[in-house]
Amino acid sequence: MWRYFLPTRVFSGSGVLKINQTVFKENGTKALIVTGRSSARVSGALDDTIEILMNLDVPYVLFDGVEENPSFATVEKGGKIMGENDCDFVVAIGGGSPLDAAKAISTLNKNKGITCDDLYRGDSLAAFPIIAIPTTSGTGSEVTPYSILTDSNGTKRGFGMSSTFPIVSFLDARYTLTMSHEVTLATALDALSHSLEGEVVNNGDNPLVKMLSAESTGIIHRVLPRLMNRENDLTLREKIQYAAMLAGMVIAHTGTTAAHAAGYPLSSFKGIKHGIANAVTIIKVFERIAQADPERIARAIEPFESIGELEEFLDSFEVQKMVPALTEDEVQRWSEQSSKASHNKKTPGNLDRDFYIDLYRGLGKH
Ligand code: NAP
Ligand code: ZN
C-alpha cells in the first residue's frame, strides 16, 4: 500500500512569474514578502515580484530579516509584522531558510496567540497561502510541507502540515545563477542526500517515490560535476533545479535519515552549510544501514554502484576539508542528542550513541 500527495502547483521556466502573474491575485489581498538579507535582491527575484504586485495593485510588506538556519525569534518577529499589517498571504523568496521561515510565519498568523513551540505539538493547523520562489536548488522546500527552525538552545527542529505545502511554486533557474560556488555545491549535495536518503526510507515501497528518486539521483550524478565547472550555464542550472524539486517530492513522502540528524549540530554550532553537513555524514550512516540491509542501500543509491563510488563522488568536491575536527565535549554532547533523533527509527542498523561518537570523532581528519 502506498499514498502520494502533493498539493503544490509548480510553474517552471524562464519568465514564469510574469507569464503566470495572476496567481498573485488569486491567493490573497495583501502579501508579506519573506526573504533573506540579500539573495532575493541579488538574484532579481524580488524586483520581479514587486513589479508584478504593483502592476496588479496588490499591496505588500517586506520582511527581509531571515538568516541561515532561521531561529524561532526571527519567525516570531516576522509573524508580528505580518499580523500588524493584516497580510493574508506570504510570498517566500530565497533558499530553504526564507521558505521555511515563511511557512512558520504564515501558520503563526493564521492561529493567533500560538508560539513557535506550538508548531511541534503534532496538531494539524491551518496556514495562510504560501507562494514559493526558490533561489537555491537544494532543499526542495518549494514542494515540501517542512519548515526547519532553530530553537533557543540551537537545536534544529522540523515540522510540517498539509497546510504548509506552498500553494504555488515558481521555478525560474535564472534566479539561481547568482549563487556562489560554495552555495551551489552545498545545495546540490543537499538535494542528492534527499534523493538518496528518501529512497533508503522508501525502500521501493512507493513506486512513484522510487521513480522520482532514481531520476533525481541520476541527474545530479551526471550534471553536478559539469555545473561546478560551468556555473553560468542556465541549462545545467535548470537541470539541477529540477532534480532538487524531484528530491523534495521524495522527502515530502519519506522524510530523511540519520544523515540529516547527524548534520544538524554542524550547521547550528559550526556554521557548516546544511548540504555539506549531510555530505560528510551520509557515508557512515549508509555503511551502518548496509550492515543490516545491504540490498536496501545498493538499490537506493543507483546509479552509484557502491557506497565507495558515492564516497568518491563526494570526495571529488573535497567536502571533508570543509568541516573542522570536533572537541571531545562536542562529540559527546552531539552524540547523545543525535542518538535520540526520530530519524534513527526510519531505517535498520543500530544508530546508537557509540555509532555517533565514532562518526563525529572521524570528522575533520583529512
Ligand atoms: P539558505 O540558508 O536559504 O541560504 C544560504 C546562503 O545562500 C545565504 O547566504 C543566502 O543569502 C544565499 N543565497 C541563496 N540564494 C542565492 C542566490 N540565488 N544568489 C546568491 N546567494 C544566494 O540555503 P538553503 O541550503 O537553500 O537552505 C538551508 C535551510 O533549509 C536549512 O535551514 C535547512 O535545515 C533547511 N532545509 C529545509 C528543507 C525542507 O524540506 N523545508 C529540507 C532541507 C533543508 P541570503 O541570506 O541573502 O538569503
Ligand atoms: Zn536537507
Side-chain angles (χ1 to χ4, degrees):
M1 196 179 79
W2 54 270
R3 59 175 271 283
Y4 184 86
F5 175 67
L6 201 103
T8 306
R9 289 162 74 197
V10 180
F11 297 90
S12 176
S14 284
V16 275
L17 247 67
K18 207 162 197 165
I19 298 164
N20 302 284
Q21 56 180 286
T22 49
V23 165
F24 287 93
K25 237 185 150 76
E26 289 163 7
N27 290 293
T29 57
K30 187 171 183 183
L32 179 76
I33 304 179
V34 177
T35 74
R37 304 242 157 83
S38 65
S39 65
R41 277 190 189 83
V42 172
S43 65
L46 181 60
D47 281 353
D48 288 354
T49 303
I50 288 177
E51 192 187 321
I52 287 168
L53 292 174
M54 287 175 73
N55 282 343
L56 294 169
D57 274 331
V58 175
Y60 68 89
V61 175
L62 176 63
F63 174 56
D64 60 0
V66 181
E67 74 279 41
E68 289 185 48
N69 308 302
S71 66
F72 279 20
T74 296
V75 163
E76 280 166 5
K77 191 170 157 200
K80 196 157 171 273
I81 292 171
M82 183 170 184
E84 284 168 357
N85 287 283
D86 290 325
C87 301
D88 57 4
F89 74 110
V90 180
V91 181
I93 308 173
S97 296
L99 267 55
D100 286 8
K103 293 174 182 178
I105 289 170
S106 145
T107 314
L108 288 188
N109 262 275
K110 190 76 181 179
N111 304 274
K112 295 282 182 226
I114 68 165
T115 65
C116 278
D117 273 317
D118 295 320
L119 300 171
Y120 299 86
R121 300 201 194 287
D123 302 333
S124 182
L125 301 168
F128 283 116
I130 300 146
I131 296 178
I133 307 172
T135 63
T136 62
S137 298
T139 68
S141 186
E142 65 273 16
V143 289
T144 75
Y146 307 128
S147 168
I148 318 287
L149 306 178
T150 304
D151 70 16
S152 53
N153 299 320
T155 306
K156 279 174 84 89
R157 296 164 65 188
F159 77 90
M161 314 164 182
S162 49
S163 61
T164 51
F165 275 102
I167 193 147
V168 173
S169 285
F170 289 111
L171 270 57
D172 187 332
R174 293 175 309 167
Y175 301 143
T176 68
L177 284 166
T178 49
M179 273 192 280
S180 66
H181 187 79
E182 185 195 15
V183 173
T184 301
L185 177 66
T187 49
L189 293 180
D190 187 26
L192 177 63
S193 69
H194 295 163
S195 182
L196 297 171
E197 292 178 51
E199 183 48 34
V200 167
V201 175
N202 181 48
N203 197 21
D205 288 348
N206 183 328
L208 271 171
V209 166
K210 178 158 182 57
M211 183 180 77
L212 295 168
S213 165
E215 183 68 6
S216 177
T217 304
I219 293 171
I220 298 169
H221 178 248
R222 271 194 319 276
V223 175
L224 185 58
R226 285 162 59 205
L227 175 61
M228 295 320 293
N229 291 314
R230 287 168 53 190
E231 290 174 48
N232 291 327
D233 189 321
L234 183 61
T235 306
L236 298 182
R237 290 275 184 194
E238 282 174 340
K239 288 186 196 308
I240 294 291
Q241 184 181 57
Y242 176 64
M245 180 203 67
L246 296 178
M249 291 172 168
V250 169
I251 58 166
H253 293 84
T254 61
T256 51
T257 69
H260 262 66
Y264 283 159
L266 282 166
S267 299
S268 296
F269 301 115
K270 295 283 176 189
I272 303 298
K273 298 241 172 285
H274 171 67
I276 301 300
N278 302 334
V280 298
T281 56
I282 198 167
I283 295 298
K284 282 233 161 89
V285 170
F286 279 15
E287 281 173 348
R288 176 57 66 103
I289 296 171
Q291 282 173 8
D293 189 348
E295 284 305 309
R296 182 177 184 130
I297 292 291
R299 284 191 302 261
I301 66 175
E302 283 171 3
F304 294 100
E305 286 182 5
S306 63
I307 296 182
E309 196 196 325
L310 174 61
E311 188 171 19
E312 270 173 37
F313 182 81
L314 297 172
D315 281 351
S316 71
F317 305 111
E318 304 197 314
V319 290
Q320 292 293 345
K321 289 190 182 156
M322 297 176 198
V323 295
L326 304 180
T327 64
E328 190 55 26
D329 180 52
E330 285 164 342
V331 168
Q332 296 296 334
R333 275 189 292 116
W334 298 3
S335 299
E336 180 66 26
Q337 188 184 322
S338 297
S339 65
K340 292 181 186 148
S342 59
H343 303 67
N344 299 328
K345 297 186 197 111
K346 290 193 171 174
T347 57
N350 187 16
L351 296 152
D352 59 4
R353 198 165 167 278
D354 286 346
F355 164 76
Y356 284 102
I357 288 174
D358 179 56
L359 186 157
Y360 286 132
R361 278 189 186 147
L363 294 179
K365 307 232 161 41
H366 38 74

